[in-house]
PDB file of all heavy atoms in Angstrom:
ATOM      1  N   GLU K  84       5.086  -2.437  -2.163  1.00 90.00           N
ATOM      2  CA  GLU K  84       5.731  -1.517  -1.238  1.00 90.00           C
ATOM      3  C   GLU K  84       4.767  -1.123  -0.114  1.00 90.00           C
ATOM      4  O   GLU K  84       5.142  -1.094   1.056  1.00 90.00           O
ATOM      5  CB  GLU K  84       6.221  -0.274  -1.980  1.00 90.00           C
ATOM      6  CG  GLU K  84       6.928   0.720  -1.102  1.00 90.00           C
ATOM      7  CD  GLU K  84       8.273   0.219  -0.594  1.00 90.00           C
ATOM      8  OE1 GLU K  84       8.946  -0.550  -1.296  1.00 90.00           O
ATOM      9  OE2 GLU K  84       8.647   0.620   0.520  1.00 90.00           O
ATOM     10  N   LEU K  85       3.525  -0.845  -0.468  1.00 89.00           N
ATOM     11  CA  LEU K  85       2.529  -0.496   0.538  1.00 89.00           C
ATOM     12  C   LEU K  85       2.260  -1.675   1.477  1.00 89.00           C
ATOM     13  O   LEU K  85       2.214  -1.513   2.688  1.00 89.00           O
ATOM     14  CB  LEU K  85       1.227  -0.047  -0.136  1.00 89.00           C
ATOM     15  CG  LEU K  85       1.289   1.291  -0.866  1.00 89.00           C
ATOM     16  CD1 LEU K  85       0.024   1.501  -1.701  1.00 89.00           C
ATOM     17  CD2 LEU K  85       1.506   2.432   0.103  1.00 89.00           C
ATOM     18  N   ALA K  86       2.101  -2.859   0.891  1.00 88.00           N
ATOM     19  CA  ALA K  86       1.849  -4.045   1.718  1.00 88.00           C
ATOM     20  C   ALA K  86       3.018  -4.313   2.660  1.00 88.00           C
ATOM     21  O   ALA K  86       2.815  -4.654   3.838  1.00 88.00           O
ATOM     22  CB  ALA K  86       1.609  -5.267   0.818  1.00 88.00           C
ATOM     23  N   GLU K  87       4.247  -4.145   2.168  1.00 88.00           N
ATOM     24  CA  GLU K  87       5.407  -4.362   3.029  1.00 88.00           C
ATOM     25  C   GLU K  87       5.464  -3.333   4.159  1.00 88.00           C
ATOM     26  O   GLU K  87       5.827  -3.650   5.271  1.00 88.00           O
ATOM     27  CB  GLU K  87       6.682  -4.317   2.191  1.00 88.00           C
ATOM     28  CG  GLU K  87       6.850  -5.533   1.303  1.00 88.00           C
ATOM     29  CD  GLU K  87       7.992  -5.415   0.312  1.00 88.00           C
ATOM     30  OE1 GLU K  87       8.627  -4.337   0.220  1.00 88.00           O
ATOM     31  OE2 GLU K  87       8.245  -6.406  -0.391  1.00 88.00           O
ATOM     32  N   GLY K  88       5.070  -2.095   3.871  1.00 85.00           N
ATOM     33  CA  GLY K  88       5.047  -1.066   4.905  1.00 85.00           C
ATOM     34  C   GLY K  88       4.053  -1.399   6.001  1.00 85.00           C
ATOM     35  O   GLY K  88       4.351  -1.264   7.196  1.00 85.00           O
ATOM     36  N   PHE K  89       2.873  -1.847   5.612  1.00 85.00           N
ATOM     37  CA  PHE K  89       1.884  -2.244   6.610  1.00 85.00           C
ATOM     38  C   PHE K  89       2.355  -3.473   7.383  1.00 85.00           C
ATOM     39  O   PHE K  89       2.153  -3.562   8.595  1.00 85.00           O
ATOM     40  CB  PHE K  89       0.522  -2.511   5.951  1.00 85.00           C
ATOM     41  CG  PHE K  89      -0.252  -1.261   5.647  1.00 85.00           C
ATOM     42  CD1 PHE K  89      -0.320  -0.774   4.354  1.00 85.00           C
ATOM     43  CD2 PHE K  89      -0.894  -0.559   6.652  1.00 85.00           C
ATOM     44  CE1 PHE K  89      -1.028   0.384   4.065  1.00 85.00           C
ATOM     45  CE2 PHE K  89      -1.604   0.605   6.379  1.00 85.00           C
ATOM     46  CZ  PHE K  89      -1.672   1.072   5.078  1.00 85.00           C
ATOM     47  N   ALA K  90       2.997  -4.402   6.703  1.00 85.00           N
ATOM     48  CA  ALA K  90       3.497  -5.597   7.372  1.00 85.00           C
ATOM     49  C   ALA K  90       4.589  -5.247   8.397  1.00 85.00           C
ATOM     50  O   ALA K  90       4.618  -5.796   9.499  1.00 85.00           O
ATOM     51  CB  ALA K  90       4.036  -6.594   6.351  1.00 85.00           C
ATOM     52  N   ARG K  91       5.473  -4.311   8.024  1.00 84.00           N
ATOM     53  CA  ARG K  91       6.516  -3.882   8.966  1.00 84.00           C
ATOM     54  C   ARG K  91       5.908  -3.243  10.212  1.00 84.00           C
ATOM     55  O   ARG K  91       6.352  -3.506  11.335  1.00 84.00           O
ATOM     56  CB  ARG K  91       7.479  -2.896   8.295  1.00 84.00           C
ATOM     57  CG  ARG K  91       8.492  -3.539   7.373  1.00 84.00           C
ATOM     58  CD  ARG K  91       9.557  -2.548   6.918  1.00 84.00           C
ATOM     59  NE  ARG K  91       9.013  -1.377   6.241  1.00 84.00           N
ATOM     60  CZ  ARG K  91       8.771  -1.299   4.931  1.00 84.00           C
ATOM     61  NH1 ARG K  91       9.020  -2.339   4.150  1.00 84.00           N
ATOM     62  NH2 ARG K  91       8.299  -0.185   4.403  1.00 84.00           N
ATOM     63  N   GLU K  92       4.901  -2.419  10.016  1.00 83.00           N
ATOM     64  CA  GLU K  92       4.245  -1.770  11.154  1.00 83.00           C
ATOM     65  C   GLU K  92       3.575  -2.802  12.061  1.00 83.00           C
ATOM     66  O   GLU K  92       3.680  -2.752  13.268  1.00 83.00           O
ATOM     67  CB  GLU K  92       3.220  -0.747  10.664  1.00 83.00           C
ATOM     68  CG  GLU K  92       2.491  -0.037  11.767  1.00 83.00           C
ATOM     69  CD  GLU K  92       3.371   0.795  12.685  1.00 83.00           C
ATOM     70  OE1 GLU K  92       4.502   1.142  12.300  1.00 83.00           O
ATOM     71  OE2 GLU K  92       2.919   1.105  13.806  1.00 83.00           O
ATOM     72  N   ARG K  93       2.915  -3.761  11.443  1.00 83.00           N
ATOM     73  CA  ARG K  93       2.265  -4.805  12.244  1.00 83.00           C
ATOM     74  C   ARG K  93       3.318  -5.622  12.998  1.00 83.00           C
ATOM     75  O   ARG K  93       3.135  -5.958  14.166  1.00 83.00           O
ATOM     76  CB  ARG K  93       1.412  -5.692  11.373  1.00 83.00           C
ATOM     77  CG  ARG K  93       0.785  -6.799  12.193  1.00 83.00           C
ATOM     78  CD  ARG K  93      -0.368  -7.433  11.574  1.00 83.00           C
ATOM     79  NE  ARG K  93      -0.810  -8.501  12.456  1.00 83.00           N
ATOM     80  CZ  ARG K  93      -2.013  -8.952  12.468  1.00 83.00           C
ATOM     81  NH1 ARG K  93      -2.908  -8.435  11.688  1.00 83.00           N
ATOM     82  NH2 ARG K  93      -2.335  -9.926  13.276  1.00 83.00           N
ATOM     83  N   GLU K  94       4.404  -5.968  12.338  1.00 84.00           N
ATOM     84  CA  GLU K  94       5.470  -6.721  13.008  1.00 84.00           C
ATOM     85  C   GLU K  94       6.037  -5.942  14.189  1.00 84.00           C
ATOM     86  O   GLU K  94       6.352  -6.524  15.233  1.00 84.00           O
ATOM     87  CB  GLU K  94       6.579  -7.052  12.012  1.00 84.00           C
ATOM     88  CG  GLU K  94       6.205  -8.144  11.037  1.00 84.00           C
ATOM     89  CD  GLU K  94       7.242  -8.353   9.948  1.00 84.00           C
ATOM     90  OE1 GLU K  94       8.363  -7.804  10.062  1.00 84.00           O
ATOM     91  OE2 GLU K  94       6.918  -9.033   8.965  1.00 84.00           O
ATOM     92  N   ARG K  95       6.166  -4.635  14.016  1.00 82.00           N
ATOM     93  CA  ARG K  95       6.669  -3.804  15.111  1.00 82.00           C
ATOM     94  C   ARG K  95       5.736  -3.885  16.320  1.00 82.00           C
ATOM     95  O   ARG K  95       6.180  -4.097  17.451  1.00 82.00           O
ATOM     96  CB  ARG K  95       6.805  -2.354  14.650  1.00 82.00           C
ATOM     97  CG  ARG K  95       7.436  -1.435  15.705  1.00 82.00           C
ATOM     98  CD  ARG K  95       7.418   0.021  15.268  1.00 82.00           C
ATOM     99  NE  ARG K  95       6.095   0.599  15.257  1.00 82.00           N
ATOM    100  CZ  ARG K  95       5.440   1.018  16.362  1.00 82.00           C
ATOM    101  NH1 ARG K  95       6.011   0.905  17.539  1.00 82.00           N
ATOM    102  NH2 ARG K  95       4.245   1.555  16.270  1.00 82.00           N
ATOM    103  N   LEU K  96       4.444  -3.745  16.068  1.00 81.00           N
ATOM    104  CA  LEU K  96       3.478  -3.834  17.174  1.00 81.00           C
ATOM    105  C   LEU K  96       3.473  -5.237  17.793  1.00 81.00           C
ATOM    106  O   LEU K  96       3.457  -5.391  19.009  1.00 81.00           O
ATOM    107  CB  LEU K  96       2.074  -3.473  16.679  1.00 81.00           C
ATOM    108  CG  LEU K  96       1.866  -2.010  16.271  1.00 81.00           C
ATOM    109  CD1 LEU K  96       0.506  -1.847  15.604  1.00 81.00           C
ATOM    110  CD2 LEU K  96       2.011  -1.080  17.457  1.00 81.00           C
ATOM    111  N   GLU K  97       3.501  -6.257  16.945  1.00 81.00           N
ATOM    112  CA  GLU K  97       3.478  -7.633  17.456  1.00 81.00           C
ATOM    113  C   GLU K  97       4.734  -7.968  18.243  1.00 81.00           C
ATOM    114  O   GLU K  97       4.680  -8.752  19.189  1.00 81.00           O
ATOM    115  CB  GLU K  97       3.264  -8.621  16.313  1.00 81.00           C
ATOM    116  CG  GLU K  97       1.842  -8.593  15.780  1.00 81.00           C
ATOM    117  CD  GLU K  97       1.630  -9.534  14.613  1.00 81.00           C
ATOM    118  OE1 GLU K  97       2.614 -10.008  14.005  1.00 81.00           O
ATOM    119  OE2 GLU K  97       0.446  -9.783  14.303  1.00 81.00           O
ATOM    120  N   SER K  98       5.858  -7.378  17.883  1.00 83.00           N
ATOM    121  CA  SER K  98       7.080  -7.657  18.639  1.00 83.00           C
ATOM    122  C   SER K  98       6.942  -7.142  20.072  1.00 83.00           C
ATOM    123  O   SER K  98       7.443  -7.755  21.005  1.00 83.00           O
ATOM    124  CB  SER K  98       8.308  -7.051  17.957  1.00 83.00           C
ATOM    125  OG  SER K  98       8.306  -5.645  18.060  1.00 83.00           O
ATOM    126  N   HIS K  99       6.247  -6.033  20.227  1.00 78.00           N
ATOM    127  CA  HIS K  99       5.991  -5.524  21.585  1.00 78.00           C
ATOM    128  C   HIS K  99       5.083  -6.486  22.346  1.00 78.00           C
ATOM    129  O   HIS K  99       5.320  -6.785  23.511  1.00 78.00           O
ATOM    130  CB  HIS K  99       5.326  -4.142  21.534  1.00 78.00           C
ATOM    131  CG  HIS K  99       6.247  -3.054  21.096  1.00 78.00           C
ATOM    132  ND1 HIS K  99       7.266  -2.568  21.885  1.00 78.00           N
ATOM    133  CD2 HIS K  99       6.312  -2.366  19.929  1.00 78.00           C
ATOM    134  CE1 HIS K  99       7.906  -1.622  21.232  1.00 78.00           C
ATOM    135  NE2 HIS K  99       7.351  -1.471  20.042  1.00 78.00           N
ATOM    136  N   TRP K 100       4.052  -6.975  21.667  1.00 76.00           N
ATOM    137  CA  TRP K 100       3.130  -7.913  22.324  1.00 76.00           C
ATOM    138  C   TRP K 100       3.850  -9.197  22.706  1.00 76.00           C
ATOM    139  O   TRP K 100       3.637  -9.753  23.787  1.00 76.00           O
ATOM    140  CB  TRP K 100       1.955  -8.245  21.407  1.00 76.00           C
ATOM    141  CG  TRP K 100       1.034  -7.085  21.152  1.00 76.00           C
ATOM    142  CD1 TRP K 100       0.757  -6.065  22.009  1.00 76.00           C
ATOM    143  CD2 TRP K 100       0.291  -6.827  19.971  1.00 76.00           C
ATOM    144  NE1 TRP K 100      -0.125  -5.179  21.428  1.00 76.00           N
ATOM    145  CE2 TRP K 100      -0.431  -5.622  20.180  1.00 76.00           C
ATOM    146  CE3 TRP K 100       0.141  -7.471  18.755  1.00 76.00           C
ATOM    147  CZ2 TRP K 100      -1.276  -5.070  19.228  1.00 76.00           C
ATOM    148  CZ3 TRP K 100      -0.698  -6.934  17.809  1.00 76.00           C
ATOM    149  CH2 TRP K 100      -1.399  -5.745  18.051  1.00 76.00           C
ATOM    150  N   ASP K 101       4.697  -9.707  21.790  1.00 78.00           N
ATOM    151  CA  ASP K 101       5.399 -10.958  22.055  1.00 78.00           C
ATOM    152  C   ASP K 101       6.345 -10.849  23.265  1.00 78.00           C
ATOM    153  O   ASP K 101       6.575 -11.829  23.961  1.00 78.00           O
ATOM    154  CB  ASP K 101       6.216 -11.389  20.818  1.00 78.00           C
ATOM    155  CG  ASP K 101       5.323 -11.828  19.667  1.00 78.00           C
ATOM    156  OD1 ASP K 101       4.123 -12.070  19.902  1.00 78.00           O
ATOM    157  OD2 ASP K 101       5.833 -11.901  18.531  1.00 78.00           O
ATOM    158  N   ARG K 102       6.894  -9.658  23.492  1.00 79.00           N
ATOM    159  CA  ARG K 102       7.772  -9.449  24.643  1.00 79.00           C
ATOM    160  C   ARG K 102       6.968  -9.167  25.905  1.00 79.00           C
ATOM    161  O   ARG K 102       7.542  -8.994  26.975  1.00 79.00           O
ATOM    162  CB  ARG K 102       8.716  -8.274  24.381  1.00 79.00           C
ATOM    163  CG  ARG K 102       9.770  -8.543  23.348  1.00 79.00           C
ATOM    164  CD  ARG K 102      10.837  -7.443  23.336  1.00 79.00           C
ATOM    165  NE  ARG K 102      10.286  -6.091  23.332  1.00 79.00           N
ATOM    166  CZ  ARG K 102      10.249  -5.280  22.286  1.00 79.00           C
ATOM    167  NH1 ARG K 102      10.734  -5.696  21.144  1.00 79.00           N
ATOM    168  NH2 ARG K 102       9.751  -4.074  22.371  1.00 79.00           N
ATOM    169  N   GLY K 103       5.657  -9.071  25.771  1.00 74.00           N
ATOM    170  CA  GLY K 103       4.826  -8.773  26.928  1.00 74.00           C
ATOM    171  C   GLY K 103       4.715  -7.281  27.197  1.00 74.00           C
ATOM    172  O   GLY K 103       4.156  -6.880  28.210  1.00 74.00           O
ATOM    173  N   ASP K 104       5.254  -6.476  26.296  1.00 77.00           N
ATOM    174  CA  ASP K 104       5.168  -5.022  26.460  1.00 77.00           C
ATOM    175  C   ASP K 104       3.755  -4.553  26.139  1.00 77.00           C
ATOM    176  O   ASP K 104       3.075  -5.134  25.289  1.00 77.00           O
ATOM    177  CB  ASP K 104       6.137  -4.297  25.502  1.00 77.00           C
ATOM    178  CG  ASP K 104       7.589  -4.606  25.801  1.00 77.00           C
ATOM    179  OD1 ASP K 104       7.882  -5.106  26.907  1.00 77.00           O
ATOM    180  OD2 ASP K 104       8.429  -4.356  24.918  1.00 77.00           O
ATOM    181  N   ASP K 105       3.370  -3.510  26.793  1.00 79.00           N
ATOM    182  CA  ASP K 105       2.103  -2.877  26.463  1.00 79.00           C
ATOM    183  C   ASP K 105       2.317  -1.968  25.268  1.00 79.00           C
ATOM    184  O   ASP K 105       3.311  -1.253  25.189  1.00 79.00           O
ATOM    185  CB  ASP K 105       1.571  -2.047  27.624  1.00 79.00           C
ATOM    186  CG  ASP K 105       0.990  -2.904  28.736  1.00 79.00           C
ATOM    187  OD1 ASP K 105       0.513  -4.008  28.430  1.00 79.00           O
ATOM    188  OD2 ASP K 105       1.031  -2.457  29.893  1.00 79.00           O
ATOM    189  N   VAL K 106       1.408  -2.018  24.338  1.00 79.00           N
ATOM    190  CA  VAL K 106       1.417  -1.084  23.223  1.00 79.00           C
ATOM    191  C   VAL K 106       0.387  -0.031  23.566  1.00 79.00           C
ATOM    192  O   VAL K 106      -0.735  -0.349  23.931  1.00 79.00           O
ATOM    193  CB  VAL K 106       1.067  -1.785  21.891  1.00 79.00           C
ATOM    194  CG1 VAL K 106       0.994  -0.790  20.768  1.00 79.00           C
ATOM    195  CG2 VAL K 106       2.074  -2.887  21.592  1.00 79.00           C
ATOM    196  N   SER K 107       0.783   1.207  23.467  1.00 83.00           N
ATOM    197  CA  SER K 107      -0.116   2.270  23.883  1.00 83.00           C
ATOM    198  C   SER K 107      -1.349   2.333  22.975  1.00 83.00           C
ATOM    199  O   SER K 107      -1.291   2.002  21.790  1.00 83.00           O
ATOM    200  CB  SER K 107       0.608   3.614  23.865  1.00 83.00           C
ATOM    201  OG  SER K 107       0.770   4.087  22.543  1.00 83.00           O
ATOM    202  N   THR K 108      -2.418   2.758  23.575  1.00 86.00           N
ATOM    203  CA  THR K 108      -3.638   2.952  22.811  1.00 86.00           C
ATOM    204  C   THR K 108      -3.416   3.956  21.698  1.00 86.00           C
ATOM    205  O   THR K 108      -3.947   3.816  20.599  1.00 86.00           O
ATOM    206  CB  THR K 108      -4.779   3.425  23.739  1.00 86.00           C
ATOM    207  OG1 THR K 108      -4.947   2.442  24.762  1.00 86.00           O
ATOM    208  CG2 THR K 108      -6.082   3.613  22.992  1.00 86.00           C
ATOM    209  N   GLU K 109      -2.562   4.928  21.954  1.00 87.00           N
ATOM    210  CA  GLU K 109      -2.254   5.936  20.922  1.00 87.00           C
ATOM    211  C   GLU K 109      -1.567   5.296  19.725  1.00 87.00           C
ATOM    212  O   GLU K 109      -1.913   5.586  18.576  1.00 87.00           O
ATOM    213  CB  GLU K 109      -1.387   7.046  21.515  1.00 87.00           C
ATOM    214  CG  GLU K 109      -1.012   8.127  20.514  1.00 87.00           C
ATOM    215  CD  GLU K 109      -2.194   8.892  19.940  1.00 87.00           C
ATOM    216  OE1 GLU K 109      -3.308   8.837  20.502  1.00 87.00           O
ATOM    217  OE2 GLU K 109      -2.001   9.570  18.910  1.00 87.00           O
ATOM    218  N   ASP K 110      -0.596   4.412  19.962  1.00 82.00           N
ATOM    219  CA  ASP K 110       0.063   3.705  18.860  1.00 82.00           C
ATOM    220  C   ASP K 110      -0.949   2.896  18.054  1.00 82.00           C
ATOM    221  O   ASP K 110      -0.909   2.869  16.827  1.00 82.00           O
ATOM    222  CB  ASP K 110       1.163   2.774  19.365  1.00 82.00           C
ATOM    223  CG  ASP K 110       2.413   3.524  19.802  1.00 82.00           C
ATOM    224  OD1 ASP K 110       2.569   4.710  19.426  1.00 82.00           O
ATOM    225  OD2 ASP K 110       3.238   2.905  20.509  1.00 82.00           O
ATOM    226  N   LEU K 111      -1.841   2.228  18.759  1.00 85.00           N
ATOM    227  CA  LEU K 111      -2.853   1.420  18.079  1.00 85.00           C
ATOM    228  C   LEU K 111      -3.835   2.304  17.310  1.00 85.00           C
ATOM    229  O   LEU K 111      -4.258   1.978  16.201  1.00 85.00           O
ATOM    230  CB  LEU K 111      -3.591   0.543  19.084  1.00 85.00           C
ATOM    231  CG  LEU K 111      -2.710  -0.503  19.772  1.00 85.00           C
ATOM    232  CD1 LEU K 111      -3.470  -1.171  20.892  1.00 85.00           C
ATOM    233  CD2 LEU K 111      -2.200  -1.527  18.769  1.00 85.00           C
ATOM    234  N   ARG K 112      -4.197   3.450  17.906  1.00 87.00           N
ATOM    235  CA  ARG K 112      -5.115   4.386  17.238  1.00 87.00           C
ATOM    236  C   ARG K 112      -4.492   4.896  15.939  1.00 87.00           C
ATOM    237  O   ARG K 112      -5.143   4.921  14.895  1.00 87.00           O
ATOM    238  CB  ARG K 112      -5.438   5.555  18.160  1.00 87.00           C
ATOM    239  CG  ARG K 112      -6.466   6.534  17.589  1.00 87.00           C
ATOM    240  CD  ARG K 112      -6.659   7.740  18.490  1.00 87.00           C
ATOM    241  NE  ARG K 112      -5.486   8.596  18.506  1.00 87.00           N
ATOM    242  CZ  ARG K 112      -5.148   9.451  17.528  1.00 87.00           C
ATOM    243  NH1 ARG K 112      -5.898   9.563  16.468  1.00 87.00           N
ATOM    244  NH2 ARG K 112      -4.065  10.193  17.633  1.00 87.00           N
ATOM    245  N   VAL K 113      -3.224   5.266  15.998  1.00 84.00           N
ATOM    246  CA  VAL K 113      -2.532   5.738  14.803  1.00 84.00           C
ATOM    247  C   VAL K 113      -2.490   4.638  13.746  1.00 84.00           C
ATOM    248  O   VAL K 113      -2.722   4.887  12.570  1.00 84.00           O
ATOM    249  CB  VAL K 113      -1.125   6.263  15.158  1.00 84.00           C
ATOM    250  CG1 VAL K 113      -0.288   6.508  13.909  1.00 84.00           C
ATOM    251  CG2 VAL K 113      -1.228   7.517  16.001  1.00 84.00           C
ATOM    252  N   GLY K 114      -2.201   3.411  14.161  1.00 83.00           N
ATOM    253  CA  GLY K 114      -2.185   2.289  13.221  1.00 83.00           C
ATOM    254  C   GLY K 114      -3.528   2.074  12.564  1.00 83.00           C
ATOM    255  O   GLY K 114      -3.624   1.883  11.350  1.00 83.00           O
ATOM    256  N   LEU K 115      -4.573   2.119  13.366  1.00 87.00           N
ATOM    257  CA  LEU K 115      -5.923   1.912  12.820  1.00 87.00           C
ATOM    258  C   LEU K 115      -6.291   3.051  11.871  1.00 87.00           C
ATOM    259  O   LEU K 115      -6.891   2.823  10.816  1.00 87.00           O
ATOM    260  CB  LEU K 115      -6.957   1.782  13.934  1.00 87.00           C
ATOM    261  CG  LEU K 115      -8.372   1.422  13.467  1.00 87.00           C
ATOM    262  CD1 LEU K 115      -8.374   0.090  12.727  1.00 87.00           C
ATOM    263  CD2 LEU K 115      -9.312   1.382  14.645  1.00 87.00           C
TER     264      LEU K 115
END
Side-chain angles (χ1 to χ4, degrees):
E84 181 69 31
L85 291 170
E87 288 171 355
F89 281 103
R91 282 189 303 272
E92 179 62 19
R93 178 161 177 155
E94 286 173 12
R95 185 186 70 78
L96 292 171
E97 288 178 345
S98 71
H99 289 288
W100 293 328
D101 291 345
R102 290 191 312 255
D104 296 343
D105 285 332
V106 176
S107 76
T108 302
E109 179 62 16
D110 285 343
L111 296 171
R112 184 185 69 77
V113 169
L115 186 60

